[in-house]
Amino acid sequence: MKEGSSSTLFPPDSKFHPSQDGLAKRRRWLVVDFDGTCTEHDTTPLLPRLAAFATRSRSSISQSVGTGKDDTTSSSTNDSDGYNHQKDLQKRLDQFQLLEDEFMRRYGEARSNMFSNDNDQSTSLYDVLDALDEPSCIVTEMVSESGCLSGLGHADTTEVEGMLTLHGVTETDNDTKERTSENENIREDHPDDKVVVRLRHGCESTLSRMLLDGPTNPNKDVHTCLGWSLAILSINWCPALIDASVVQPVLRRRRSLMTIKSCDTEVPIWSNEVDIDGVVTLHVPGALAKRDRILELKRYIKQDCDQTKSIIIYVGDSSTDLAGLLAADVGIVMGNSSSLIQIAKSWGVQIVPLKRRSEHGFQSMVMTDRSEKDTEKKMLWQVDDWKEIDEALQEIDELWKEA
């Protein structure tokens, strides 16, 4: 495992970089977690399988050009005939299962210790969240040392797309049909090499609709948003998986709704990453790193927009998201994580169903000037599905139009 750099949110070539003018035009941000928020389940257990598929792909290429075994298979199980995919895959899965068991053991101990010290008034919420992230950081180091993800860093978004069976996405536009055909050709030698990723119902449609700009949206049947931007903030180790599972389907859906063939919409992915040797670099180690990313985005917007109203909404599902949820202007909890709810309750954070927002000052919260907002707010909103978020976003747009 390697520590991530302290670089800014946006690379120099990003339209959102402080040297550009993108942030001045984009004052409304929806930042979302990936695993469990956009997806129905944690996708981390899929990574060793994807790594094995990527390794076999390169082993096949190497053999086809007569170069023999390349360095991407150095940590894989081989037999006398060369690379053995089934042995390699099983070895990776067995290693990863042991590491998952180790994580659950360590996390269980950390959680037990946390709730056994309820009367310790000197412990802050952020101390607790940091302590709960420690097992993940330790096990991530063990994952890097095991090599069970070696080869995964080779796989780009296009290759990962070819390994996925996505549920919860719209397969109607020409771009999607062409992509599906291309990926079928790429994987025709190994039709069983698919992993299943299920997006939460309404995730793709909500995220694609919120990226529609009023002046350029020809689809009058779809509610147009007022210049929202989207970013993904995740502790997942594979940005290519995030891109292939969420970002690209959302952008394809957006192009379909706007009846255009291409667009330059930029969706930043702030996550950890794994290299070709299976070593994980932690750019976003856990809860406090997520909070810091939200606060950094706030600072960028404030510098670029001066006193103009802006809003950052963060959607997450677990205790790792809690600090980021509290740092955002509006924090929305997806689902009913027992850990998140218990921790929030212990530190006086109220979680209110978003359906009851009219009873709890939601409109005032989203319309208040940034300088007047509490930095330590004690209220979060809870939803069961993306439809509730979509309705709230439409309400916010109407409020901002009136203002």
Side-chain angles (χ1 to χ4, degrees), residues 71-293:
D71 62 358
T72 65
T73 63
S74 60
S75 65
S76 303
T77 303
N78 292 270
D79 58 24
S80 59
D81 296 323
Y83 175 74
N84 186 311
H85 173 65
Q86 289 303 323
K87 286 185 177 180
D88 180 38
L89 175 59
Q90 193 59 54
K91 177 182 177 182
R92 293 172 188 266
L93 294 177
D94 290 345
Q95 287 177 321
F96 199 80
Q97 183 60 59
L98 291 174
L99 293 168
E100 275 196 305
D101 293 343
E102 178 66 15
F103 167 75
M104 294 305 298
R105 183 187 69 79
R106 289 176 178 269
Y107 183 81
E109 290 178 355
R111 194 165 182 260
S112 296
N113 291 337
M114 177 191 73
F115 290 114
S116 67
N117 294 324
D118 279 348
N119 295 325
D120 186 357
Q121 301 299 318
S122 65
T123 303
S124 73
L125 169 61
Y126 300 110
D127 291 334
V128 168
L129 295 176
D130 196 32
L132 288 177
D133 283 332
E134 185 176 358
S136 177
C137 293
I138 293 173
V139 174
T140 298
E141 179 80 37
M142 298 168 68
V143 169
S144 295
E145 293 173 353
S146 75
C148 65
L149 300 184
S150 62
L152 183 56
H154 273 301
D156 60 12
T157 297
T158 300
E159 185 172 354
V160 172
E161 282 182 317
M163 302 175 189
L164 297 183
T165 296
L166 278 175
H167 293 269
V169 299
T170 306
E171 299 278 345
T172 57
D173 63 293
N174 291 331
D175 287 337
T176 302
K177 292 177 181 177
E178 292 173 3
R179 174 186 57 82
T180 302
S181 176
E182 291 173 358
N183 287 335
E184 285 176 351
N185 291 333
I186 292 172
R187 309 300 298 175
E188 61 183 0
D189 293 334
H190 308 293
D192 58 327
D193 285 4
K194 296 282 186 177
V195 298
V196 176
V197 174
R198 300 179 184 276
L199 296 188
R200 284 185 177 269
H201 180 68
C203 176
E204 180 210 34
S205 59
T206 297
L207 298 182
S208 58
R209 186 196 62 75
M210 59 155 283
L211 291 175
L212 298 178
D213 294 325
T216 58
N217 177 25
N219 194 331
K220 303 305 179 184
D221 296 327
V222 180
H223 184 281
T224 297
C225 278
L226 293 176
W228 285 85
S229 290
L230 171 66
I232 314 293
L233 178 56
S234 171
I235 62 171
N236 193 285
W237 302 324
C238 186
L241 176 60
I242 299 172
D243 196 23
S245 301
V246 175
V247 177
Q248 294 308 313
V250 165
L251 294 182
R252 282 191 288 270
R253 179 61 176 160
R254 179 182 184 272
R255 291 195 296 269
S256 177
L257 291 171
M258 298 185 69
T259 62
I260 58 176
K261 292 185 177 181
S262 63
C263 65
D264 62 353
T265 303
E266 184 178 332
V267 179
I269 297 175
W270 303 316
S271 72
N272 302 311
E273 61 181 330
V274 60
D275 66 15
I276 60 175
D277 296 317
V279 177
V280 178
T281 298
L282 291 178
H283 301 293
V284 188
L288 302 191
K290 286 195 169 191
R291 176 199 63 185
D292 293 343
R293 292 291 176 122

Side-chain angles (χ1 to χ4, degrees), residues 379-390:
M379 179 180 291
L380 300 176
W381 308 92
Q382 184 273 333
V383 298
D384 294 317
D385 56 51
W386 277 92
K387 180 180 178 182
E388 297 176 58
I389 296 176
D390 198 7

Side-chain angles (χ1 to χ4, degrees), residues 1-20:
M1 181 185 70
K2 297 183 289 187
E3 291 295 328
S5 67
S6 57
S7 59
T8 60
L9 290 175
F10 308 107
D13 59 347
S14 168
K15 67 181 180 182
F16 299 124
H17 190 271
S19 63
Q20 308 297 326

